Amino acid sequence: MTKNLLTLLAGTALALSLFPAGTASGAPAELNYSIFFPATHGHTLLATEWAKEVEKRTNGAVKITVFPGATLTPADQTYDGVVKGIADIGMSVLSYSKGRFPLTEVLDLPLGYTSGLQATRLANAYYRKFQPKELADVKIMYLMAHGPGILHTKEPVSKLEDLKGLKCRCTGSSAKVVAALGGTPVAMPQNEAYDALQKGVVNGLVSPIETLKGWKYAEVVKYTTRNLGSSYSVGFFVAMNRAKWDALPKEAQSAIEAVNAEWVDKAGKAWDDFDKAGTEFALSKGVKIIELSKEEDARWAELVKPVLNDYVVAAKAKGVPGDEALRFVQDWLKANP
């Protein structure tokens, strides 16, 4: 062999040792990624950027194809789809898998969130702290959570008495929040809320303000009440099939973990950017934003405390330390307002 050929072979061997392929044939590990957001949504674009960054950092050893719009797995079946290998990677809402994550439900409680970045950082701090067994059948890339879930209505609500009996579209844990505040929860999918508001089936809804633009709710509500003391969020997961993760070389895993760490803040800031855009869109449509007084906001926060207590009782009944999880997230939020 010539000296140049020997040098080439040595370089190839070194590259393979650093980032060996994920298949026996020597080809890159090619993975699919299921997302329920539409192709044009900001989180789909951010996830696509994440996939490209993974390919770059692994020197092409891992290539990921994104399937948006729930074309690979329905939103409520994405977690199971990842576990079973239908999707190699998936992004969806934890609470869509009802009852499956009793400890992690702590993230969806009305804890008084102030931003998507705060909620997303907390979600990942919680995961690092508890390493919940209920999520051990996948490899979590990172968690995220949207900005404050607050009240949007057709009539002004500036005090609790205005909310009494008001029919509000909600789902999951937010239904408990509406009930605790004296409203009437009406469960329905997100995609039915616009028509329901337009036709008067409901008088309002609870959701992050980004939905006023993303789902055009600003066209059918007139007021937003910033009840931050009783605001909630919803936890999302980005997870990889455990076997697919374990099959990747250690160097590729380390590279992906580094990307994941960066994407926590990227995802959190994205939620805040969406909320800002939602606010601007709402104002352009004539929606009035109502700021509760400090005293009034405290009244709302006091009324949702039973929702927190109910979580602890339910978690303990399922054998998980809900009291510890709740104490941790409350302490974390106090230290990171």
Side-chain angles (χ1 to χ4, degrees), residues 17-318:
S17 69
L18 290 174
F19 289 103
T23 64
S25 65
E30 297 191 7
L31 308 176
N32 60 51
Y33 186 172
S34 178
I35 297 175
F36 73 89
F37 288 113
T40 56
H41 194 282
H43 271 304
T44 301
L45 301 178
L46 189 62
T48 301
E49 184 184 339
W50 174 86
K52 290 179 179 177
E53 190 66 16
V54 166
E55 181 175 348
K56 175 184 174 183
R57 301 270 189 102
T58 61
N59 289 343
V62 179
K63 295 186 176 182
I64 300 167
T65 301
V66 175
F67 290 82
T71 54
L72 187 59
T73 59
D76 61 351
Q77 297 175 30
T78 297
Y79 189 87
D80 265 339
V82 172
V83 172
K84 296 174 182 177
I86 298 170
D88 301 320
I89 307 166
M91 173 195 292
S92 193
V93 178
L94 286 158
S95 59
Y96 285 176
S97 300
K98 295 185 183 299
R100 185 163 186 162
F101 311 112
L103 187 64
T104 309
E105 287 175 11
V106 70
L107 300 176
D108 294 355
L109 295 175
L111 298 168
Y113 289 105
T114 58
S115 72
L117 179 59
Q118 179 200 50
T120 295
R121 285 177 172 173
L122 170 59
N124 288 278
Y126 153 82
Y127 181 77
R128 290 191 300 271
K129 167 70 175 178
F130 289 92
Q131 293 291 310
K133 293 180 181 178
E134 61 199 32
L135 292 169
D137 48 2
V138 298
K139 169 61 181 177
I140 294 295
M141 301 287 96
Y142 59 92
L143 302 178
M144 62 179 181
H146 66 57
I150 53 179
L151 181 68
H152 315 282
T153 55
K154 301 176 78 169
E155 300 296 331
V157 176
S158 57
K159 58 185 182 299
L160 281 169
E161 289 75 12
D162 298 332
L163 181 56
K164 188 172 179 60
L166 209 66
K167 293 181 290 184
C168 293
R169 178 269 166 189
C170 48
T171 184
S173 61
S174 65
K176 298 177 182 178
V177 175
V178 170
L181 293 173
T184 300
V186 180
M188 69 174 61
Q190 191 84 276
N191 59 357
E192 295 179 13
Y194 186 100
D195 286 343
L197 286 161
Q198 191 174 48
K199 296 174 181 177
V201 175
V202 295
N203 311 109
L205 75 155
V206 286
S207 67
I209 202 167
E210 63 95 6
T211 61
L212 297 195
K213 180 179 181 180
W215 293 89
K216 307 297 184 186
Y217 294 150
E219 298 174 353
V220 286
V221 300
K222 295 181 179 179
Y223 300 90
T224 284
T225 302
R226 282 173 47 84
N227 55 304
L228 295 183
S230 53
S231 66
Y232 71 95
S233 187
V234 171
F236 288 69
F237 64 87
V238 178
M240 185 182 293
N241 175 269
R242 175 62 68 177
K244 290 294 178 70
W245 173 259
D246 290 342
L248 295 176
K250 297 297 183 184
E251 292 80 4
Q253 290 179 349
S254 296
I256 293 171
E257 293 278 28
V259 178
N260 293 342
E262 295 171 15
W263 246 250
V264 170
D265 275 14
K266 283 180 178 286
K269 290 174 181 176
W271 281 118
D272 290 337
D273 288 343
F274 301 154
D275 275 354
K276 182 180 178 182
T279 301
E280 292 171 352
F281 181 78
L283 292 173
S284 75
K285 292 293 183 180
V287 174
K288 295 182 179 180
I289 297 178
I290 298 171
E291 298 281 355
L292 296 180
S293 68
K294 183 178 180 180
E295 294 74 19
E296 185 65 22
D297 203 29
R299 289 178 69 201
W300 293 48
E302 186 66 26
L303 279 182
V304 299
K305 284 184 178 179
V307 178
L308 310 185
N309 297 333
D310 288 348
Y311 158 79
V312 172
V313 172
K316 282 191 171 183
K318 294 183 178 180

